[in-house]
Amino acid sequence: MEFNRPIWTEIDLTKLKRNYEKIREIVGRRNIICVVKADAYGHGVVEVSKALEKEGTYAFAVASMEEAINLRENGIKAKILVLGYIDPKTLNIAPNLNISVSMFDKSFIKRLKEYTGERPVKIHIDVDTGMGRLGILPGEVVYAVDAIKKIRNVEFEGIYTHFSSADSDSEYTKKQLLIFNKVLSKLKDERCLPPIIHSSNSSAILNAPNSFFNAVRPGLLLYGISPLKASVEGFEPVLSFKTRIIFSRKIPEKASIGYEKTFTTTKPSLLATIPVGYADGLPRSLSNVGEVLVKGMRAKIVGNISMDLSVLDVTGFPFIHPGNEVVIIGKQGNDEITASEIAEKVGTIDYEIVTRIGKRVKRIFKNS
Ligand SMILES: *Cc1c(COP(=O)(O)O)cnc(C)c1O
């Protein structure tokens, strides 16, 4: 596990599978659509998807046609749903690769009418019940369904909505669900409900059991990260982010560290440099506030984080030398730094911390 530049994430596929099984326990026999967009939230989409496919997942959801094609090129056989925008030109590719697409815009009807391929295009209609981002308005769904039912070679496979605040506002989630249920009952009256109905993201899987319908769409929870303020019993983070000290030395007091001299030693200090910077996904706003684990203890990041390097204050730590392992996210000794802790420090969400881990950070897959 030694590289030129010692900086890597460890992806524990055993924990991934356990998180999947835990979701399975919560949702029973309903279909699980594993959300693996953005390189499986930075965890490495091919290995993650292969492991989840072995668990028997019903489908994968991704953000783009490129992400969907990448899964097929890497041998993934399960169904794939593209949640986001697709170029209408790619409509001809989707059915041949068994990729389902989302219709979130009425103007898509026109594109479907122009589709000339042999195999049916599979469509999931995205209903905007209050997310306000993508989606067909509730009052227009019946019209849209009638329109696509008339088009040759279009298969109305599913319908879904997305919650904006299932982690924090149960009243608003209830409102969104009520609107979605009304749309569903109208479609039922018209005898055109599609087979697959879904709405629950990770927070709704934990908070809104009446939102499960016959499929759920977890992302974050699969990776063992809690979408709620508190951690959730039974789920464990899949990803650890690690590096090694590459340089350490004693330095006198009144020495300034890094760009813009934002840190100056107030006493003789022991400092250690790690080959991790903001280009690797260590947020620059952790400068002088972030901590990492060294020898099972917390070391402060001192001075401004550079693009490729950061400096730690390890004064008083025992036996510091190049090669010592440093944990940025994960466990060491009896302590743990989570993506949530970092997110809170820099004023963002865990999603952003893990998806921004840089391309030049190696992914190592293991089974614990
Ligand atoms: C990203 C996404 C999800 C997964 O959300 P989590 O909060 O990670 O569980 C589900 N549905 C849609 C439409 C999404 O964009």
Side-chain angles (χ1 to χ4, degrees):
M1 283 215 283
E2 293 307 321
F3 303 102
N4 236 351
R5 192 165 177 261
I7 165 171
W8 71 97
T9 54
E10 287 171 16
I11 309 298
D12 189 331
L13 298 173
T14 306
K15 287 183 179 154
L16 175 77
K17 288 177 187 177
R18 273 198 225 123
N19 295 333
Y20 176 89
E21 281 160 20
K22 185 81 192 163
I23 293 171
R24 168 64 68 212
E25 268 172 42
I26 299 173
V27 305
R29 296 162 62 110
R30 294 168 179 93
N31 291 317
I32 299 178
I33 302 171
C34 293
V35 181
V36 294
K37 62 196 180 193
D39 199 25
Y41 292 42
H43 290 59
V45 69
V46 172
E47 286 80 358
V48 161
S49 302
K50 282 185 176 162
L52 292 169
E53 193 167 61
K54 271 199 203 127
E55 292 300 288
T57 186
Y58 164 73
F60 293 102
V62 293
S64 68
M65 194 60 91
E66 282 84 352
E67 289 184 344
I69 291 170
N70 178 46
L71 284 181
R72 284 287 177 257
E73 283 177 346
N74 284 284
I76 294 297
K77 301 277 187 306
K79 284 166 109 34
I80 300 175
L81 170 65
V82 179
L83 298 165
Y85 172 81
I86 64 157
D87 185 319
K89 283 192 284 269
T90 59
L91 263 187
N92 284 308
I93 305 171
N96 292 331
L97 295 174
N98 191 22
I99 295 168
S100 306
V101 300
S102 295
M103 169 162 138
F104 49 77
D105 175 2
K106 272 187 303 180
S107 71
F108 203 66
I109 296 168
K110 189 159 167 272
R111 301 288 164 232
L112 289 171
K113 282 182 180 158
E114 291 159 5
Y115 171 66
T116 55
E118 280 302 310
R119 299 192 190 169
V121 189
K122 293 179 183 169
I123 300 291
H124 287 233
I125 290 188
D126 175 5
V127 186
D128 183 6
T129 59
M131 177 71 182
R133 182 175 69 171
L134 295 176
I136 295 189
L137 290 173
E140 296 173 337
V141 174
V142 172
Y143 157 80
V145 169
D146 282 346
I148 62 171
K149 285 256 164 188
K150 284 182 197 137
I151 306 171
R152 186 190 146 268
N153 265 356
V154 172
E155 181 184 331
F156 181 29
E157 180 180 51
I159 188 162
Y160 69 93
T161 193
H162 192 45
F163 300 120
S164 79
S165 315
D167 56 332
S168 54
D169 188 340
S170 59
E171 283 309 306
Y172 193 74
T173 307
K174 265 187 216 156
K175 246 190 244 171
Q176 284 194 266
L177 254 180
L178 191 70
I179 294 168
F180 190 50
N181 273 312
K182 276 189 190 157
V183 169
L184 296 177
S185 69
K186 263 192 245 162
L187 291 180
K188 198 169 173 208
D189 292 345
E190 305 256 322
R191 293 174 179 278
C192 47
L193 261 188
I196 307 298
I197 303 169
H198 46 113
S199 71
S200 317
N201 56 5
S202 295
S203 328
I205 286 170
L206 298 172
N207 284 344
N210 53 348
S211 73
F212 293 171
F213 299 99
N214 60 22
V216 295
R217 290 193 314 271
L220 201 67
L221 260 188
L222 284 170
Y223 310 105
I225 302 175
S226 170
L228 312 177
K229 288 270 176 293
S231 66
V232 191
E233 178 84 24
F235 289 93
E236 264 192 284
V238 169
L239 176 146
S240 310
F241 187 6
K242 298 182 180 177
T243 184
R244 291 184 193 281
I245 290 172
I246 54 166
F247 177 62
S248 71
R249 67 172 162 190
K250 288 191 182 124
I251 205 164
E253 65 174 331
K254 292 189 183 148
S256 62
I257 309 302
Y259 288 118
E260 297 171 276
K261 312 187 296 283
T262 58
F263 180 83
T264 303
T265 53
T266 55
K267 56 176 194 293
S269 300
L270 180 61
L271 301 183
T273 302
I274 51 173
V276 183
Y278 56 81
D280 302 298
L282 189 66
R284 188 170 178 274
S285 43
L286 281 178
S287 300
N288 294 308
V289 271
E291 290 175 336
V292 297
L293 300 175
V294 184
K295 304 264 166 158
M297 297 189 291
R298 285 180 175 244
K300 218 166 171 190
I301 298 172
V302 291
N304 280 350
I305 291 172
S306 308
M307 190 184 294
D308 319 306
L309 296 165
S310 306
V311 178
L312 310 175
D313 185 351
V314 286
T315 308
F317 284 53
F319 312 114
I320 289 298
H321 53 77
N324 289 149
E325 188 175 280
V326 176
V327 171
I328 300 161
I329 298 174
K331 285 183 185 165
Q332 196 188 56
N334 298 319
D335 207 349
E336 179 176 14
I337 292 176
T338 60
S340 317
E341 176 185 329
I342 296 175
E344 200 160 312
K345 268 192 184 147
V346 304
T348 184
I349 51 176
D350 337 35
Y351 297 77
E352 189 173 345
I353 300 300
V354 288
T355 55
R356 286 200 168 188
I357 293 174
K359 279 213 176 68
R360 59 187 182 178
V361 179
K362 289 230 165 59
R363 267 72 173 164
I364 295 175
F365 299 90
K366 61 172 197 181
N367 288 290
S368 57

